Amino acid sequence: MRRWITGFALGCAVAVALAGCDRRPGGVASSDWRAGVKEVRFAVRGSEGDPTMATRWSVYQDYLSKAIGLPVKLYESSDYNGPIQALSSGQVDLATLAGGGYANVDAQVGGKVAPILTVRQAEGAMGYYSALLVRKDSPIHSLADMKGRSLGYVDFNSTSGYLYPRAKMRELGIEPDTFFGKTSFAGGHTQAVLALQNGQFDGAIIEVGGGDPVHGFTTGPQYTMARRGLLDVGAFRMVWVVGPIPNAVIVTRTDRPQPLIDIARGAMAALPYDRPDLWRDIGQPDGSAFTAVDRSFYAEVIRLRAADIAQRRSGSARGGKPS
Amino acid sequence: MRAWLPLAAVLCLAASSAEAASLRIAEVVGSGGACHALRADAPAGEKAYFRLLGDRLGREILTCPVVDRAAAAQALATGRLDVALLDPAAYAPVQATTRAILTVRPAGHLNRIPLVVVTKASGPATNLASLRGKSLVFGGSAEAALAAPRQALADQGAGPGFFSREDVAADADAAAAGLRSGAADALVLNTAAWQRLCQGVRSQDNRCGDLKVVWRGRRRATLALVVRRDIPDELRFRLIGIHVAMHIEAPGTFAWASSWLPGGAEFEPTEAEALALAAR
């Protein structure tokens, strides 16, 4: 009898362990996908203009770890190429990228990486802008005035700081590789503004957002730096603005377990509703939310990236290429 | 006796496993009954929806016939099913044990964006109710500035006739100027416009120190998918992750799954209290 009672108790204990006798759905049966997955690796770009971002990301990291039920490791990269290569080589599972970065990944590995979420702003917009910034006392008042002048781009893999404005210049009949006297990569948006401030360039191409050309902008490197007391935002002027550019994207490796992708997407999509405080803390505009996207949302950026690379390879450029 | 014990153990195991391996969804059919697998003559869209959920969740999806939404809410609250489509009236009695997780964003319209009602910091108002009979100014005429706040206010009982006068300013700055000058007693904005209005160029800047928020909330959802509050986060996030991408990954399935709100563009996650009146 005691043997059977022990057996019964053991049977129920196993049942509880396997499925939960608390009548709640979920439980161990649905977590087999975790076998062999030790951690989730998430590549994010550091904000060179806002060092507190690292602390904020750590709170986000905790949120995702609890949601996914696995340790989430953040790989913070100071440059554009880090997350792109980490994702392409499969060293990370998830990443945040600008559209141009995703276009680069797409060109390298195609469907092995897919967009899952981007941000929809409160008023429904899903894009940001690229601006040509000059010093307030500059004689430059338009893109045309930049002919023969020095221009600072952000990075070859920057969408707003390189890819998109160059495509728009070509649409205006301006060949960006020959129009300017000299062009260089500053390495980041903040560095581009600092270099402009220091007189290294006559103009710098940077990202701006949180508004539009009619209502003005509230986000961008010069605003971030001004809020930290590093510069006076009134010391600069925007003389050319193009966009909107599709907002940055969260992408995933498609060869990862589908439950991992579903949970990550669900947890991130729920964040602005569950934790609006944390949503703001990670730098998202009030009232915005994630929305699901796929490759088609970035089709224009992918096309522009391919065209830019083809243009550069065709050898049409002269000395104006970024050095 | 001995012979029954191992059988009981097996039954216990089987019952627990079956429970964990299924997801029970309420279906309002005018009469109640036991949860069961979809019948062969179920609509194609419903079959596709159940197949998608089953494949992605790795569990059997069952349909649970209920008389109406109120019965679905009760069955959900007492653990007899796991997901139900509820309206605010059905949700109210089970609010303590259940929560909304998903609704549908109509095509061509905004998310359920958060909004604020603002007065002068020195004013007597402390909540929305205390603004009855006062004047209100909207910060523009776009959906995010006018239609969305108007609907959210109506949800709170501050619809037509609540305010003595409603003005529509050109933008948030003009609306704030109206509030500050005394031309209006209160201002309503979406939180993005509020953030832009108040954000200075330096971190210590607060351009709205003379104003205060007396109400913050979203438009109430008219319908939402609801689960029990004790649902594991993993399952809740999986459900959200599957649904929010459905319009892209399986448009035909999305059309059926969102048919309770015709013309839907996508599933949108919600806060727990999306079907309740927001706190004032």
Side-chain angles (χ1 to χ4, degrees):
Chain A
M1 176 68 179
R2 194 166 60 190
R3 186 159 56 107
W4 284 115
I5 289 174
T6 304
F8 177 74
L10 186 61
C12 269
V14 171
V16 169
L18 282 176
C21 276
D22 59 356
R23 303 187 64 79
R24 294 189 305 171
V28 178
S30 63
S31 62
D32 295 340
W33 63 271
R34 291 195 183 86
V37 183
K38 288 195 299 186
E39 63 189 19
V40 176
R41 296 156 297 177
F42 193 172
V44 297
R45 269 210 70 224
S47 173
E48 70 273 6
D50 187 355
T52 62
M53 191 58 87
T55 308
R56 298 172 187 179
W57 276 117
S58 72
V59 181
Y60 192 38
Q61 180 181 14
D62 290 345
Y63 171 83
L64 284 178
S65 289
K66 284 178 188 159
I68 297 171
L70 288 169
V72 172
K73 283 199 175 171
L74 292 185
Y75 291 85
E76 200 169 358
S77 174
S78 59
D79 66 29
Y80 280 79
N81 203 35
I84 291 169
Q85 296 313 323
L87 198 60
S88 297
S89 61
Q91 291 174 307
V92 298
D93 310 299
L94 295 159
T96 60
L97 296 172
Y102 166 63
N104 191 331
V105 172
D106 184 70
Q108 292 186 48
V109 296
K112 287 184 179 172
V113 170
I116 56 170
L117 292 169
T118 191
V119 169
R120 180 199 308 278
Q121 284 126 242
E123 287 91 349
M126 292 169 64
Y128 62 109
Y129 292 81
S130 177
L132 171 59
L133 200 67
V134 300
R135 289 180 296 277
K136 183 183 177 184
D137 57 1
S138 165
I140 297 162
H141 293 275
S142 67
L143 176 62
D145 290 344
M146 281 292 292
K147 185 172 177 59
R149 302 278 192 161
S150 59
L151 177 70
Y153 291 118
V154 172
D155 186 283
F156 173 74
N157 284 305
S158 170
T159 314
S160 59
Y162 179 75
L163 175 65
Y164 198 86
R166 284 166 59 86
K168 295 303 164 186
M169 287 175 201
R170 287 190 176 114
E171 287 179 13
L172 294 172
I174 292 173
E175 173 45 54
D177 285 334
T178 56
F179 181 74
F180 304 102
K182 182 189 175 193
T183 59
S184 304
F185 289 126
H189 290 273
T190 300
Q191 291 91 328
V193 174
L194 287 173
L196 177 66
Q197 185 181 38
N198 296 337
Q200 190 178 334
F201 305 126
D202 295 312
I205 294 277
I206 57 160
E207 67 170 314
V208 288
D212 56 49
V214 174
H215 299 99
F217 299 99
T218 56
T219 63
Q222 74 275 40
Y223 299 105
T224 304
M225 295 162 76
R227 285 178 201 119
R228 294 179 56 214
L230 299 178
L231 52 75
D232 176 5
V233 76
F236 303 97
R237 284 186 285 113
M238 278 183 260
V239 297
W240 185 61
V241 177
V242 286
I245 304 164
N247 275 340
V249 63
I250 293 181
V251 295
T252 180
R253 290 282 305 192
T254 54
D255 51 8
R256 299 307 193 252
Q258 186 65 48
L260 167 62
I261 297 170
D262 289 338
I263 295 170
R265 174 156 48 195
M268 287 189 267
L271 186 61
Y273 299 89
D274 278 1
R275 295 284 309 277
D277 54 332
L278 180 51
W279 182 250
R280 278 191 297 273
D281 280 352
I282 61 170
Q284 299 291 5
D286 261 351
S288 61
F290 274 131
T291 187
V293 288
D294 62 7
R295 184 180 184 275
S296 66
F297 186 67
Y298 295 93
E300 186 193 12
V301 180
I302 290 168
R303 181 181 61 77
L304 295 180
R305 166 64 73 199
D308 191 74
I309 290 172
Q311 186 93 14
R312 288 166 63 86
R313 284 179 179 160
S314 73
S316 66
R318 295 196 273 108
K321 270 187 184 176
S323 53
Chain B
M1 178 67 181
R2 265 190 180 187
W4 287 104
L5 289 173
L7 179 61
V10 169
L11 287 174
C12 174
L13 180 63
S16 299
S17 297
E19 206 165 74
S22 67
L23 183 79
R24 301 161 299 174
I25 301 176
E27 184 173 18
V28 175
V29 293
S31 61
C35 298
H36 58 82
L38 271 190
R39 298 204 166 89
D41 61 350
E46 188 174 20
K47 284 183 186 171
Y49 180 56
F50 274 47
R51 191 163 49 243
L52 175 68
L53 290 183
D55 289 347
R56 295 280 275 271
L57 294 172
R59 64 183 63 216
E60 185 179 21
I61 311 300
L62 302 177
T63 182
C64 303
V66 291
V67 173
D68 54 21
R69 289 199 179 115
Q74 290 303 322
L76 175 66
T78 53
R80 286 177 283 136
L81 53 84
D82 305 310
V83 181
L85 176 67
L86 300 185
D87 56 27
Y91 173 71
V94 297
Q95 186 171 348
T97 52
T98 67
R99 60 154 296 164
I101 60 167
L102 287 160
T103 188
V104 171
R105 179 178 70 82
H109 292 281
L110 301 173
N111 293 31
R112 295 174 49 257
I113 57 175
L115 305 148
V116 289
V117 173
V118 175
T119 67
K120 284 185 185 175
S122 57
T126 54
N127 55 30
L128 191 56
S130 58
L131 288 172
R132 180 180 290 278
K134 304 292 185 184
S135 59
L136 176 75
V137 60
F138 293 88
S141 54
E143 182 182 358
L146 184 59
R150 193 164 259 165
Q151 181 61 53
L153 290 172
D155 292 342
Q156 299 297 314
F162 180 86
F163 295 101
S164 61
R165 196 182 76 247
E166 291 184 356
D167 298 324
V168 179
D171 55 32
D173 286 315
L179 175 62
R180 286 177 166 126
S181 71
D185 299 311
L187 156 69
V188 60
L189 293 175
N190 70 70
T191 56
W194 174 241
Q195 184 181 39
R196 286 195 297 269
L197 180 74
C198 299
Q199 181 173 278
V201 293
R202 293 185 302 271
S203 59
Q204 64 269 33
D205 288 348
N206 178 8
R207 296 166 56 202
C208 297
D210 58 331
L211 306 178
K212 67 179 177 187
V213 174
V214 297
W215 178 82
R216 182 186 292 265
R218 299 176 190 262
R219 175 174 59 80
R220 186 173 56 178
T222 52
L223 288 166
L225 293 177
V226 177
V227 298
R228 277 188 308 284
R229 287 181 188 266
D230 64 359
I231 187 178
D233 276 347
E234 173 181 331
L235 180 56
R236 178 165 67 94
F237 290 141
R238 282 176 87 167
L239 285 169
I240 293 170
I242 293 165
H243 279 82
V244 296
M246 198 181 292
H247 64 293
I248 295 171
E249 296 177 349
T253 306
F254 169 78
W256 187 89
S258 65
S259 56
W260 39 272
L261 207 161
E266 63 183 338
F267 279 107
E268 175 191 356
T270 70
E271 71 280 17
E273 303 299 337
L275 288 169
L277 290 175
R280 295 182 182 178

